[in-house]
Amino acid sequence: MTRRKIFQSVLQYAGLIGVLAFLVLTFSLSTENFFQTQTLVTIANSNPDLIFISVGMTLVLIVGGIDLSVGSLLALGSAVIGVLMVRHQWPVYAAVPVCCLVTAACGLLNGFLSVWFAIPSFIVTLGMLEMARGATKVVTDSQTMYIGSRVEGFGEPISVVSLSPAFLVALGVVILGQFLLTQTVFGRYCVAIGTNREAVRMSGIRTKPVIITAFAISGFLCGLASLSQTSRLSSADPNAAIGLELSAIAACVIGGTSLMGGRGSVVASFFGVLIIAVLQSGLAQLGVEDAIKQIVTGGVIILAVLFDAVRQKFGKVN
């Protein structure tokens, strides 16, 4: 890595940490109870599912794709866990692998259809969004399935550190995802494909398997997100995670991942998740209406996209 790229990375992370610190300070001064350990721990324990999905979304965006189906795949995974555990009395350690296999298979299908038939991933994953949501309602009969304490342990805080196993696993996935992206051949291929897919193909590298793998990883992480949300809610809701794909894309964009592909960071996307979570939690403590929260969050996303466009235009980042 060149000195210039190292400087850019440090500057990027410093900026994200600065924004996060500014939000925490602002809401701490504006409300009585925001800057408390319990509040910050609650924010962390409420967002492992979004962290999981944002890691997968980062990889998909870097290769030049997009995955709009992640929210529906999360709901489908939750439905699989609910049906297997409630109706068929499967133990959680058997139901979760099946859940991850189902969501990974859906991600694999997204990637396969996109690259082999040259269909824009936007269209393919939009179709999968509808299919997975419909399948979720079919298998659950459009009813929320209460699972109970059999899955609560993954989402409940550990008394020693007050953080849930789900959040700790999500941190591990962030570290693993960053290592995969920056220290492996697969990661370098992802960046190269997102930058110039045709040039990579002409150099003799098979681009299709790499793109399909990125989508499959995204699908698999939707399965882990399903376990996280199901554990936290103790139930499988067929209407869960509606619009979560937009939050994941927003976190990635805020973290500096380019919507055009070729550039991104899993760690930066993680900070993007924290910024969104802190912003929404702080606005909620201020008593801001949901409609206003949506306006503010949307405005932050637009500003992040504009900032990214300006950086690219003036060549401050590659």
Side-chain angles (χ1 to χ4, degrees), residues 56-57 59-60 63 67 70 73 99-112 186 208-224:
M57 186 68 75
L59 296 177
V60 170
V63 298
D67 192 349
V70 290
L73 291 184
C99 158
C100 292
L101 284 174
V102 169
T103 55
C106 291
L108 189 70
L109 181 60
N110 282 337
F112 177 81
F186 171 79
K208 292 180 180 179
V210 175
I211 298 172
I212 292 174
T213 300
F215 276 95
I217 292 173
S218 177
F220 175 80
L221 292 176
C222 287
L224 293 183

Side-chain angles (χ1 to χ4, degrees), residues 272-293:
V273 172
L274 295 183
I275 287 172
I276 291 176
V278 168
L279 179 62
Q280 292 182 341
S281 178
L283 292 174
Q285 287 205 16
L286 287 174
V288 176
E289 297 179 359
D290 287 341
I292 303 300
K293 285 196 295 182

Side-chain angles (χ1 to χ4, degrees), residues 24 35 46 63 73 81 86 88 123 137 147 164 236 238 245 267 318:
V24 171
F35 194 66
S46 299
V63 298
L73 291 184
I81 294 174
V86 175
H88 301 285
I123 301 299
K137 293 181 179 179
I147 300 176
S164 67
E245 59 278 353
V267 172
N318 292 327

Side-chain angles (χ1 to χ4, degrees), residues 79-98:
V80 171
I81 294 174
V83 168
L84 292 178
M85 294 187 65
V86 175
R87 296 182 184 172
H88 301 285
Q89 300 302 309
W90 282 32
V92 63
Y93 60 80
V96 171
V98 175

Side-chain angles (χ1 to χ4, degrees), residues 4 6 12 16-17 36 43 69 82 86 158 160 203 210 222 232 234 251 254 258 284 288 293 304:
R4 182 168 180 265
I6 293 175
Q12 179 187 20
L16 291 170
I17 294 173
Q36 294 183 352
I43 292 174
S69 67
V86 175
I158 301 174
V160 177
S203 68
V210 175
C222 287
R232 190 171 69 253
S234 301
I254 290 172
S258 174
V288 176
K293 285 196 295 182

Side-chain angles (χ1 to χ4, degrees), residues 57 66-76 106-107 109-110 121-137 238 240-246 249:
M57 186 68 75
I66 194 168
D67 192 349
L68 300 179
S69 67
V70 290
S72 294
L73 291 184
L74 186 157
L76 178 61
C106 291
L109 181 60
N110 282 337
S121 57
F122 176 89
I123 301 299
V124 174
T125 57
L126 183 62
M128 182 61 73
L129 179 153
E130 292 294 331
M131 290 177 61
R133 186 68 63 177
T136 301
K137 293 181 179 179
I242 292 178
L244 192 63
E245 59 278 353
L246 300 181
I249 294 171

Side-chain angles (χ1 to χ4, degrees), residues 167-279:
F167 182 75
L168 297 177
V169 171
L171 284 181
V173 169
V174 169
I175 295 171
L176 182 61
Q178 185 69 10
F179 176 83
L180 183 68
L181 184 61
T182 60
Q183 303 298 321
T184 67
V185 173
F186 171 79
R188 289 193 289 271
Y189 282 174
C190 285
V191 174
I193 290 170
T195 303
N196 192 328
R197 183 185 303 187
E198 187 61 22
V200 174
R201 189 186 67 81
M202 292 296 290
S203 68
I205 298 172
R206 298 176 62 197
T207 61
K208 292 180 180 179
V210 175
I211 298 172
I212 292 174
T213 300
F215 276 95
I217 292 173
S218 177
F220 175 80
L221 292 176
C222 287
L224 293 183
S226 300
L227 174 61
S228 171
Q229 187 170 97
T230 302
S231 178
R232 190 171 69 253
L233 301 179
S234 301
S235 61
D237 183 0
N239 296 311
I242 292 178
L244 192 63
E245 59 278 353
L246 300 181
S247 296
I249 294 171
C252 295
V253 171
I254 290 172
T257 299
S258 174
L259 292 175
M260 304 304 294
R263 190 181 74 252
S265 164
V266 173
V267 172
S269 295
F270 169 70
F271 280 114
V273 172
L274 295 183
I275 287 172
I276 291 176
V278 168
L279 179 62

